[in-house]
Amino acid sequence: MSTGTTKLDVVVSDVAPVNDLVTRFHFRRRDGELLPTFSGGAHVVVEMRDGDRTRLNPYSLMGSPLNTSEYTISVRRDDVGRGGSLFMHRSVKPGLEMVISYPVNLFSLDLRARKHLMLAGGIGITPFMAQTAQLAGSGGNFELHYTCRTASLGTYADILQQRYDRRVKLYHDDRDERIDLDRLLSTQPLGTHLYVCGPAGMINWVRDRAAALGWPSETVHFEHFAAPQPGAPFDVALAVSGKTIRVGSQQSLLEAIEAAGVDPPYLCRGGVCGQCETNVISADGKFIHNDHWLSEEDHRSGCKIMPCVSRFEGKSLVLER
Amino acid sequence: MAAKTIISRPVYGTLSPQPGKHHLFVADAEGALAIIDMAGKAPAGFFDGAEIVFIPGPDGKHIGALEALKPAQLHIAPSFASLLPRLRQTLTNAHMGLRLYLSGTEGLIGQAMQVALEAGIDHTSMQTEHRGSLARRMQCVHCKGITENVTTQPATCAHCGLLLLVRDHYSRRLAAFQGVCINAEDRSEVPPMEEVFR
């Protein structure tokens, strides 16, 4: 069962191209009622019925939490990905009826903070669209630093600068503009919280520097935009449900378990929330742990796996599922 | 270390060196020993960026041992009240990356934590270690007066004179334990007073 992810029946009310890579989608409830309240940083899991295949991808809500008449998400097209974003770009049109999960927030603002320092990379800007709107509505103190490859791929950079002026600072890779991170982190007043969303390399860089410069871990928040990695197909036995399944190369273990009719819990589908953690009963082979949830010790022990992002190479794998 | 009885009862840890360039220590009496013990685990040059604010006990011990650590600054204060303006000033001018270490009596840890909370540091981000006296800072829930260095159970409120049961119920906002009248029904009933928070 998908914990906390009660479903919402929605209709696509608008599809708007934003730039060469990004398209924005608007959803309204089919019954015309307001959508559930959410807070900045929340995501929904969008169900995509692609022929006989159902894809479930999480996307951050980027609209203002003050407006729940519609939800908006922005999807960056990934031509070499597993096909979810391509499906959204090619097949999702206004009027299409879809099912999405209730919003879940694994990247919420800590409202005790005196100041919110936000660092975004690329499409990692989406949760900050909602968070800045939320803070602006309540007079919150924030500063957003946004790195993008080129000005034309600076998704919503113009809107953000128009809305928040000097509270937004842009950095363009093609102009060799780099965040002076150590200086930025060393000059923040006490009580500042740091939020970072973007590519894994950026998140790791920011977290490492913040830790080295004495930022307590409680003040550093991050959200990975990690899709499950493809790999060689492998077979898994599910002990509780008595099924043996094959995980395809473009499929995640979680998706294969779901396709077999087992309904395991999940929230983020990105290896960070811990909801789908599963015990390994026996294994003969090598785990490819891609998650950020389990400890290094858990990884070494081979007793646990996060089926949303992790894979396996070897002779046999039996899971308690 | 104090036993955890109810959820607001503070639980203290052991000071350990944190990454960062700026380290602020606030300690009283035997709290100096927690800093000295921690210094054994600290990397070379750790105290180059450290400021120690110390309130010695009446016997004036441990000052020399703290000087030997060669901190960037060592400030000796006669009482918490006298160091308060300086502590506020330091925290107001501080940036993220400053790490706070509090050691000594509960009264000292609680009051320094109170100032740091006002400055925006989360209590979970502070290093604390309890050393020395178990004496409590107590608020009388009836007259709201605060009595320092309470060592007995029950204790007499220094403001209104009521006989109070010193509870484990602690307020981080006030940096004080709560004292509740122990004989409200019948004032002639006076339970024996024992020294329990020595």
Side-chain angles (χ1 to χ4, degrees):
Chain A
M1 159 202 101
S2 20
T3 311
T5 52
T6 317
K7 305 291 165 53
L8 291 165
D9 293 323
V10 294
V11 59
V12 178
S13 51
D14 195 13
V15 176
V18 179
N19 56 35
D20 287 350
L21 289 177
V22 177
T23 301
R24 186 173 68 240
F25 299 87
H26 298 243
F27 302 106
R28 286 178 182 267
R29 261 170 82 144
R30 286 185 220 165
D31 59 14
E33 298 290 313
L34 289 178
L35 287 152
T37 309
F38 66 99
S39 52
H43 72 259
V44 293
V45 175
V46 178
E47 295 191 12
M48 302 168 214
R49 303 271 156 71
D50 186 4
D52 55 358
R53 189 167 166 187
T54 300
R55 301 172 194 277
L56 296 166
N57 278 11
Y59 293 106
S60 295
L61 293 177
M62 55 158 289
S64 167
L66 307 175
N67 173 14
T68 52
S69 64
E70 65 173 14
Y71 284 167
T72 51
I73 61 170
S74 287
V75 179
R76 182 190 182 282
R77 196 184 73 235
D78 184 351
D79 296 322
V80 294
R82 301 173 331 120
S85 67
L86 279 177
F87 176 84
M88 290 298 290
H89 277 248
R90 286 178 186 158
S91 309
V92 175
K93 307 283 182 223
L96 181 69
E97 295 191 337
M98 296 186 87
V99 173
I100 63 175
S101 72
Y102 263 61
V104 170
N105 201 341
L106 301 172
F107 189 53
S108 55
L109 293 166
D110 189 326
L111 294 173
R112 296 168 304 176
R114 299 297 168 89
K115 178 179 173 184
H116 305 270
L117 177 66
M118 302 165 174
L119 270 64
I123 194 65
I125 191 65
T126 52
F128 296 121
M129 297 295 289
Q131 290 187 339
T132 50
Q134 181 182 336
L135 287 173
S138 60
N141 182 11
F142 68 88
E143 189 178 304
L144 171 67
H145 297 255
Y146 180 16
T147 65
C148 43
R149 280 196 269 162
T150 64
S152 62
L153 290 175
T155 311
Y156 305 120
D158 48 349
I159 294 176
L160 286 163
Q161 281 207 311
Q162 204 178 344
R163 279 185 195 161
Y164 309 121
D165 194 24
R166 281 159 55 169
R167 286 197 272 185
V168 178
K169 179 101 173 65
L170 299 178
Y171 305 83
H172 301 97
D173 291 348
D174 64 341
R175 295 182 209 158
D176 266 343
E177 294 165 351
R178 296 266 292 170
I179 300 180
D180 187 351
L181 186 61
D182 280 20
R183 190 169 171 279
L184 183 66
L185 293 179
S186 302
T187 53
Q188 297 303 318
L190 276 189
T192 305
H193 277 241
L194 174 64
Y195 305 84
V196 52
C197 183
M202 176 185 184
I203 292 172
N204 293 339
W205 175 54
V206 174
R207 288 180 65 201
D208 285 352
R209 290 316 302 156
L213 293 168
W215 285 62
S217 58
E218 304 85 15
T219 60
V220 181
H221 314 268
F222 55 94
E223 182 155 81
H224 280 270
F225 264 74
Q229 296 298 306
F234 59 102
D235 294 318
V236 184
L238 304 176
V240 175
S241 31
K243 295 181 178 182
T244 298
I245 58 170
R246 164 146 280 227
V247 182
S249 66
Q250 291 291 326
Q251 200 178 22
S252 75
L253 174 52
L254 178 62
E255 288 166 344
I257 293 172
E258 288 168 338
V262 181
D263 194 11
Y266 68 81
L267 281 182
C268 75
R269 305 182 82 88
V272 293
C273 77
Q275 206 51 241
C276 69
E277 182 183 301
T278 303
N279 290 324
V280 174
I281 291 175
S282 69
D284 179 5
K286 190 178 105 197
F287 289 95
I288 304 159
H289 292 290
N290 296 316
D291 65 276
H292 300 270
W293 170 258
L294 298 174
S295 66
E296 276 180 38
E297 201 179 309
D298 287 335
H299 283 169
R300 274 196 303 273
S301 77
C303 295
K304 287 177 182 171
I305 189 169
M306 304 302 297
C308 62
V309 290
S310 301
R311 301 191 72 86
F312 182 79
E313 282 174 0
K315 285 185 188 151
S316 70
L317 175 61
V318 183
L319 298 180
E320 186 187 9
R321 188 59 85 192
Chain B
M1 194 169 102
K4 195 169 173 75
T5 46
I6 62 174
I7 202 157
S8 65
R9 173 78 183 85
V11 176
Y12 307 100
T14 305
L15 299 190
S16 69
Q18 301 296 306
K21 289 186 210 151
H22 306 290
H23 307 275
L24 175 61
F25 292 82
V26 184
D28 68 353
E30 266 92 81
L33 298 173
I35 302 176
I36 292 156
D37 286 354
M38 194 211 83
K41 292 174 279 178
F46 181 86
F47 284 92
D48 295 351
E51 176 177 351
I52 301 177
V53 182
F54 181 53
I55 310 165
D59 50 13
K61 281 200 288 194
H62 310 308
I63 297 174
L66 290 177
E67 277 170 351
L69 298 175
K70 296 196 170 59
Q73 290 187 68
L74 174 62
H75 178 72
I76 308 295
S79 67
F80 186 79
S82 68
L83 69 79
L84 196 52
R86 180 193 170 93
L87 184 59
R88 285 222 168 94
Q89 186 68 28
T90 303
L91 292 172
T92 305
N93 294 335
H95 292 108
M96 288 303 286
L98 173 103
R99 301 307 303 245
L100 186 62
Y101 307 77
L102 311 174
S103 59
T105 61
E106 289 204 84
L108 181 277
I109 295 175
Q111 290 178 91
M113 186 180 276
Q114 189 184 24
V115 178
L117 288 170
E118 284 165 15
I121 307 181
D122 191 77
H123 72 97
T124 54
S125 304
M126 306 175 200
Q127 294 274 310
T128 59
E129 183 169 342
H130 180 247
R131 291 277 184 132
S133 170
L134 296 169
R136 290 184 171 188
R137 203 171 121 86
M138 173 189 74
Q139 189 209 37
C140 169
V141 304
H142 310 282
C143 78
K144 310 298 176 196
I146 287 188
T147 307
E148 303 281 353
N149 296 317
V150 168
T151 59
T152 63
Q153 181 74 289
T156 306
C157 173
H159 303 258
C160 68
L162 281 180
L163 195 60
L164 305 176
L165 170 74
V166 189
R167 304 238 313 138
D168 270 350
H169 180 171
Y170 182 81
S171 162
R172 222 162 17 227
R173 183 176 62 87
L174 300 166
F177 288 92
Q178 306 294 288
V180 186
C181 187
I182 201 167
N183 57 0
E185 305 292 326
D186 177 3
R187 292 292 168 79
S188 68
E189 197 183 307
V190 177
M193 193 179 272
E194 286 178 87
E195 190 170 41
V196 292
F197 309 119
R198 205 174 2 238

